[in-house]
């Protein structure tokens, strides 16, 4: 069974056993505008909860991508590197950023569920 | 501070603009289509830009106005014919640029289009340098609308018949809704286009009629990517009080006839014409897809800092990151290898010719 959770930095994370898939939310892409460049973490590297794990750039500005949990990077999505506009098209499915083998499932507890995130993103963009 | 709204504010909202504060005005950064689509629509069809935040300064009256303005601006105003425009600068005594502007000779004086963030200061500076016999009117009863792109002439001609006979950098009076409007053929996108000065009360219906004829509203975001592809400077980014027109590689805007004459900053410019400059504005093309934005440090192959990026983005039409900036003059030759420090890494790049995007050739040659 997989669950999707959300961070305050507008990342989504889907956990499947010990494997987590991470991307940025639709709300984030709407705030960023057209995405034209993405930098992903190296496969095999370790990332720490709330640390930077990549960069997205829109025509307007660069923004860091953070990882909502710690772990080892086991895969990255070459599709979005080759065509960053895919992130605007399908941010919460095919345009995922990276996959982690997570260290500590408990790190998921502090994250928001869908309902909480929707409320949060509405409040912060108001 | 009170944020000002332009006469098109309701229209911006109606067409789904994302509004931001810019130079004290609430302005659209983009509409629903987003920056890339808006940019491409301007290059393939035509785009409407609300530039009403810019200053429209009318100077008239008195004797010897042309001579006195030539003591301020390095343009050849005596040779300017009525309704003809020139790009020029308001400089300080050090030859630094206080603003870049367009001067048009009108039937009774001159019209100067000023950058929004500079206009009130420009007004004071210009007023202080002219004596009281002249009338200066920074007219805030007028909107300014730019229409840019290959279709601009057809779209505008449907609304204002006859305007497509205007030549580049020329203007004239026309009538809209029984009122006088002033149109110049000019712009800031590297495309053919027009700038229309019109009463606030007519601006909204005028823009709606352009939209009905196939044009679309375009935000400041695309205005920025369009001007960067066209190699044009943005005051505050690429030009400032510590940079001269020669250093900015805008020598072409200082006519030869003016070099030996006196104007504000002329001593410094004359010197730079003779002895050259230390830094020079150049085009920069990164080798990879990494974008180097303003303030990115530039290094040579020996890891010595040689300059700074002043504008950088992703160019939607050239489909590649583009930038401009200032480098030590000895590194300004085209194809010189340089390195840009982005997020701690040195990204290889080359000095390249400006503009990145050239329209003059058949269907728009791409110059990256």
């Amino acid at each position: 069974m997989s669950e999707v959770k959300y961070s305050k930095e507008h990342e989504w994370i889907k956990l499947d056993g010990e494997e987590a898939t991470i991307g940025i939310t639709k709300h984030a892409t709407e705030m960023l505008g057209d995405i034209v460049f993405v930098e992903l973490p190296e496969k095999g590297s370790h990332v720490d909860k709330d640390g930077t794990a990549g960069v997205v750039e829109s025509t307007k500005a660069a923004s860091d991508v953070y990882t909502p949990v710690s772990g080892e990077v086991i895969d990255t999505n070459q599709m979005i590197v080759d065509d960053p506009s895919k992130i605007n098209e399908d941010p919460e499915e095919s345009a995922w950023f990276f996959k982690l083998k997570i260290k500590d499932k408990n790190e998921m507890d502090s994250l928001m569920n869908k309902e909480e995130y929707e409320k949060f993103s509405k409040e912060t963009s108001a | 501070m009170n944020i000002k709204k332009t006469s098109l504010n309701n229209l911006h909202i109606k067409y789904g603009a994302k509004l931001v504060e810019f130079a004290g005005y609430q302005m659209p950064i983009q509409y629903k289509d987003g920056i890339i689509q808006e940019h491409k629509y301007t290059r393939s069809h035509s785009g409407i830009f609300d530039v009403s935040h810019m200053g429209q300064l009318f100077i008239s009256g008195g004797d010897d106005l042309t001579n006195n303005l030539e003591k301020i601006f390095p343009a050849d105003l005596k040779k300017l014919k009525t309704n003809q425009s020139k790009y020029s600068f308001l400089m300080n005594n050090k030859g630094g640029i206080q603003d870049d502007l367009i001067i048009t000779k009108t039937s009774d004086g001159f019209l100067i289009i000023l950058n929004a963030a500079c206009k009130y200061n420009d007004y004071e500076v210009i007023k202080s340098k002219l004596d009281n016999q002249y009338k200066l009117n920074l007219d805030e009863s007028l909107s300014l609308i730019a229409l840019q792109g290959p279709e601009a002439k057809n779209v505008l001609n449907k609304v204002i018949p006859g305007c497509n006979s205007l030549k580049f950098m020329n203007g004239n009076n026309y009538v809209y809704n029984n009122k006088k409007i002033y149109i110049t053929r000019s712009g800031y996108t590297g495309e053919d286009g027009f700038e229309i000065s019109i009463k606030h009360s007519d601006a909204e219906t005028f823009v709606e009629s352009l939209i009905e004829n196939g044009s679309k509203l375009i935000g400041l975001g695309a205005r920025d990517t369009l001007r960067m592809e066209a190699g044009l400077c943005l005051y505050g980014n690429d030009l400032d009080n510590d940079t001269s027109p020669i250093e900015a590689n805008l020598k072409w805007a200082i006519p030869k006839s003016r070099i030996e004459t006196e104007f504000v900053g002329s001593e410094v410019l004359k010197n730079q014409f003779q002895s050259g400059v230390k830094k020079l504005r150049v085009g920069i093309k990164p080798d990879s897809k990494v974008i180097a934005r303003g303030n990115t440090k530039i290094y040579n192959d020996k890891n010595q800092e040689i300059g700074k990026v002043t504008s950088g983005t992703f160019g939607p039409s050239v489909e590649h990151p583009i930038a401009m900036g200032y480098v030590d003059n000895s590194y300004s030759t085209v194809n010189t290898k340089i390195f840009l420090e982005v997020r701690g890494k040195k990204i290889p790049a080359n000095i390249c010719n400006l503009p990145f995007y050239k329209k003059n050739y058949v269907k728009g040659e791409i110059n990256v």
Side-chain angles (χ1 to χ4, degrees), chain A:
Chain A
M1 216 186 86
S2 64
E3 60 171 330
V4 183
K5 289 209 154 185
Y6 301 84
S7 75
K8 286 186 175 172
E9 302 290 348
H10 306 283
E11 285 91 22
W12 58 264
I13 173 166
K14 192 163 118 186
L15 191 63
D16 222 336
E18 285 196 333
E19 190 184 302
T21 306
I22 291 157
I24 65 170
T25 64
K26 188 162 197 314
H27 177 74
T29 62
E30 282 163 2
M31 288 191 298
L32 288 165
D34 298 320
I35 293 165
V36 291
F37 176 76
V38 60
E39 207 170 79
L40 297 173
E42 301 247 338
K43 239 185 258 183
S45 66
H46 287 265
V47 290
D48 292 325
K49 180 176 170 63
D50 300 330
T52 58
V55 173
V56 281
E57 297 215 26
S58 70
T59 38
K60 284 176 280 188
S63 310
D64 286 325
V65 176
Y66 301 91
T67 176
V69 298
S70 311
E72 182 192 338
V73 180
I74 52 173
D75 202 4
T76 58
N77 191 354
Q78 188 60 34
M79 179 188 83
I80 61 169
V81 176
D82 295 338
D83 183 2
S85 69
K86 293 272 192 265
I87 302 167
N88 291 98
E89 287 167 22
D90 192 21
E92 300 196 13
E93 293 289 341
S94 63
W96 53 274
F97 277 47
F98 53 91
K99 290 181 196 279
L100 294 180
K101 190 181 167 196
I102 68 160
K103 223 163 103 184
D104 180 4
K105 254 187 187 172
N106 293 329
E107 285 182 349
M108 294 285 286
D109 295 347
S110 61
L111 300 171
M112 293 173 274
N113 64 29
K114 194 170 178 64
E115 199 182 320
E116 287 165 335
Y117 175 71
E118 274 169 11
K119 192 167 167 256
F120 167 80
S121 56
K122 243 179 227 158
E123 279 167 6
T124 48
S125 59

Side-chain angles (χ1 to χ4, degrees), chain B residues 296-367:
Chain B
T296 299
K297 287 177 180 171
I298 306 172
Y299 294 83
N300 64 10
D301 56 1
K302 294 178 191 74
N303 215 14
Q304 291 159 318
E305 201 177 321
I306 54 161
K308 207 177 75 176
V309 172
T310 48
S311 283
T313 190
F314 176 83
S317 297
V318 299
E319 295 180 326
H320 200 278
I322 53 173
M324 59 175 104
Y326 287 81
V327 293
D328 185 294
N329 204 353
S330 53
Y331 295 91
S332 64
T333 318
V334 170
N335 290 329
T336 303
K337 191 101 216 153
I338 55 167
F339 296 87
L340 310 168
E341 191 180 69
V342 180
R343 293 183 286 275
K345 286 182 213 154
K346 299 281 192 320
I347 309 296
N350 282 294
I351 304 292
C352 68
N353 279 318
L354 291 171
F356 296 99
Y357 183 86
K358 264 187 206 157
K359 197 66 191 175
N360 310 337
Y361 300 89
V362 191
K363 272 240 156 183
E365 179 187 321
I366 285 166
N367 197 30

